[in-house]
Structures are given as C-alpha cells and as structure tokens.
Amino acid sequence: MRRIKYKEVRRVVPNLFEYTGHYTADPVKMQLFVYNSEGYEEYKDVSLPKCSHELFDPAQREDVKWLNIHGLHEVELVKEVCQLVGVEPHIIGDVLNTHRRSRLEELDDILFFSIKSVLQREDSDALEVEQISFLLKDDLLVSFQEKRSDFFTHIRERIRTGGGIVRKKGSDYLLYLMLDAVMQNFFVTIETYEDKIEALLVSAKTDHLKDTPERIEKNREMLNFLKRSILPLRDALYTLKSIKNDDDFNGIQKENYTFFARLHQKSLELLEQIESDMNSLDSAANIFFSTQNQRMNQIMKTLTIFSGIFMPLTFIVGVYGMNFDHMPELREPNGYYITLGVMALLALALAVYFKVKRWF
C-alpha cells in the first residue's frame, strides 16, 4: 500500500492530465464488443478511428457497445476516448488520477463510476490495488483498467456464448455485472484474511510466538485498508439507488435498479465481515496477552515458592557463617549433619505447606 504525499506547493496547469498510477510496462490496448440478442461482434486491439466508426454507426444504434481499455499511461489516447464519449475535462482527470476514492457522478446523460479493485498477490501478503472507471451513456459502456486482468473474462464468455441474459439486457446490466465482478475480489481477499485470522487465534492460544502481535497488527492494517476502500463504494452505490426517481437520467432502466441494490447490500455484507474479522483480531490479541500474563504469573509464582523455601535456609547459612569464636554448635562433632538435616526437614515442611495451600 502506498500513502499519498502532497508537495507543499503544486502548480496545476488547466487541462494538463497525468496518469498517477504505476502500471506502465504493458502497451495500452482497446477491446470493443458490439452485441444484441441476436449476435455479437468482437474487435481486439481496435484502433480509435475504427472504434469511433463502430460506436456511432447508425446501423448499430440499438446495439450495446462495450469498449474496454487496458492501460492508462497513454494519456492522449485516454483523453481522446473520453472526448469521443463527450465527458467534461475534470472526469478525464478523475480517470487518470488513481489516488481518488471510489465515487459516482451523474453528468446529464453520462454516469461516471470509479471503483477500487483489491486483490491479494499470489506471491506475497501485499495487496494489489487497481482503479477501474466506467462511463455509461445510453447503450455505450466504456471501462478503463490500469492493466490487463481477468476480472471480466466470464462476462466476455457470456457475451460470446449468449449465456445468461447479458445479451438481452442493456449497458446498465453490463455495468452491474462488471461491478459485481470487482466486488467479488473483495470477498476473495477477505476470505484469505479470515483463514489467516483463524491461524492467529490458534497461535495466540498455543504457540506463544513472539511475532504474533506483529502479525495481528499487520492483518488489522490490511483490514482497515479494505474498509477504507469499501466505505466510499457503499456510499456511491447508495447514491446510485437514489437516481431511480430522477427523471432526467435514463441511463439505467428502472427495472434494473434492483441489481444495483444487491450490490449495495453486498457492500454492507463486506463491511460486516470486516468488522467481525477485526473483532476476531482483537480477541486474538487479548488471548495472546492474557496467555502471556498467565504464563508470567505462573513463572513468578514458581520463583516465589522457591524463594520461600530457600529463604529460611539462607538465614540458617547466614547465622552459621558469622565466624564468632564462641559458637557452641561449631564444636559439635555431628553439628554439620544435624544442621543439614534440619534444613532438609524445614524445606520439606515448607513444600508440604505450599502444596496443602494449593499454591502449586
């Protein structure tokens, strides 16, 4: 995770756009789907002129168009695509600025939606964060991804095979499917952390490993990051529900708002899971420190018992180590053995006494 750092003075030139992410290795590619209930057309690595022709072809006016862009570091291309759709310049900046929080904005006949996709890397415990933005206008949906990924592979297969109802619905239903696919990553990520939390609970009870508190704090930090990513998404989905009664925006059909209400409900479920997991982490921390305190008390109790047994013995040794000339016991032939016997009996008596008192 990277924290955003702002310079003290930042000079911003109007309409000067800059990609703020770090996925710049792969070339930017565009993929276009044009489909209806009867069939589909797919264009891979489509050029901008070809894309413009297909999007505004009068013969395909009633068809659904999905333009997906992999990569945002070619700023001019992203800018031209956004201008082709007809969005305001500040929306272009929001598409390129990956540090902004998830949000939704209604712009006359265009709906802008940005969301953070969070998924744990396979080779480490780090989270891989990607911003995905959507522009919904009539039967056109434009999606901007920072890099190539397989989040929407199953959606492409549905379009190709005609599975489900995606080819019978409009671009608003396609937006729902894509948002649902991104939110599924949150469930997968949280499930991964739940497995780690269960292992931490077991470790806190049995292993007493020194790095357990560090692991607990690391998982709590990750869950807090997920929570901060989901909260604005929940707010955006709640706002989307309220557009249902807005007669000025017709980008989403009224019968399809039910699907977006499901997404809002899923966001609430995600937050509830995170809260439950954070409570489990608190329990793991409490169990660990309680166990550590109990072990420390047991050690101190054992040391105290030994101290109680050896204290009178030390007193006897101290008395007979004073080296005075007139000590009658020093002239006793069996004094050494008698003293050892008394010390042994005294130690045994104290041990029995402590046992009777159930101090160990």
Side-chain angles (χ1 to χ4, degrees), residues 68-336:
N68 189 50
I69 302 171
H70 294 108
L72 301 178
H73 51 282
E74 293 185 15
V75 176
E76 285 301 319
L77 178 60
V78 175
K79 179 181 175 181
E80 291 176 0
V81 171
C82 291
Q83 290 175 344
L84 188 66
V85 179
V87 298
E88 299 293 331
H90 73 276
I91 296 297
I92 304 176
D94 290 339
V95 171
L96 296 170
N97 186 358
T98 59
H99 296 318
R100 297 291 300 271
R101 61 180 288 175
S102 300
R103 70 188 190 93
L104 175 135
E105 187 170 345
E106 178 190 355
L107 305 164
D108 296 330
D109 59 340
I110 299 177
L111 185 71
F112 170 72
F113 204 122
S114 67
I115 183 175
K116 292 289 188 296
S117 174
V118 179
L119 194 63
Q120 186 175 9
R121 294 179 181 174
E122 296 181 357
D123 55 344
S124 67
D125 292 335
L127 292 177
E128 189 171 291
V129 183
E130 176 189 356
Q131 176 172 292
I132 303 177
S133 302
F134 302 96
L135 293 174
L136 177 65
K137 180 179 181 181
D138 299 327
D139 290 324
L140 170 63
L141 178 64
V142 182
S143 56
F144 300 89
Q145 295 182 249
E146 289 190 72
K147 62 183 182 65
R148 180 173 293 276
S149 57
D150 56 355
F151 300 155
F152 309 135
T153 301
H154 64 289
I155 301 177
R156 296 185 180 93
E157 289 302 319
R158 287 189 189 182
I159 295 175
R160 292 172 183 139
T161 61
I165 60 174
V166 60
R167 293 219 317 232
K168 300 177 182 178
K169 291 283 189 177
S171 57
D172 53 346
Y173 182 77
L174 178 62
L175 174 62
Y176 155 72
L177 289 179
M178 299 176 74
L179 291 175
D180 184 66
V182 174
M183 290 186 67
Q184 191 63 31
N185 292 338
F186 283 100
F187 283 101
V188 173
T189 304
I190 292 176
E191 184 178 354
T192 302
Y193 279 103
E194 285 179 344
D195 294 337
K196 295 180 180 180
I197 292 171
E198 290 180 4
L200 278 174
L201 284 170
V202 176
S203 177
K205 295 176 183 178
T206 58
D207 296 340
H208 314 302
L209 299 176
K210 293 182 179 180
D211 66 338
T212 298
E214 180 181 353
R215 291 160 58 199
I216 290 174
E217 288 304 317
K218 185 177 180 180
N219 282 275
R220 182 182 283 114
E221 180 182 352
M222 292 297 184
L223 288 177
N224 275 322
F225 177 79
L226 290 173
K227 183 177 181 180
R228 292 195 303 269
S229 301
I230 296 172
L231 281 173
L233 174 60
R234 178 203 62 183
D235 297 338
L237 290 171
Y238 181 79
T239 303
L240 186 60
K241 291 169 56 179
S242 64
I243 303 179
K244 181 178 181 180
N245 299 322
D246 188 354
D247 296 331
D248 296 331
F249 182 73
N250 298 319
I252 299 178
Q253 301 179 11
K254 292 186 179 299
E255 62 268 18
N256 290 335
Y257 275 96
T258 305
F259 299 112
F260 294 95
R262 294 178 186 175
L263 294 180
H264 180 256
Q265 186 63 34
K266 283 188 175 182
S267 68
L268 297 179
E269 293 176 5
L270 286 169
L271 291 173
E272 289 177 359
Q273 280 187 254
I274 290 177
E275 289 296 332
S276 176
D277 293 337
M278 294 186 71
N279 290 334
S280 298
L281 285 176
D282 291 336
S283 299
N286 292 334
I287 291 173
F288 176 81
F289 289 114
S290 297
T291 305
Q292 291 294 97
N293 290 333
Q294 185 178 4
R295 291 180 67 247
M296 182 61 67
N297 291 337
Q298 197 67 31
I299 293 172
M300 294 301 297
K301 182 179 179 181
T302 303
L303 294 176
T304 302
I305 290 173
F306 276 99
S307 298
I309 292 175
F310 282 95
M311 188 178 297
L313 307 184
T314 304
F315 173 75
I316 294 174
V317 172
V319 169
Y320 288 100
M322 291 187 291
N323 294 325
F324 285 111
D325 291 337
H326 302 287
M327 294 183 68
E329 295 86 350
L330 295 179
R331 304 294 186 268
E332 177 62 39
N334 297 319
Y336 173 73

Side-chain angles (χ1 to χ4, degrees), residues 1-12:
M1 294 180 294
R2 300 189 305 166
R3 294 186 178 181
I4 305 172
K5 295 183 179 180
Y6 296 96
K7 299 179 179 179
E8 294 182 0
V9 178
R10 185 177 181 182
R11 295 179 176 87
V12 179

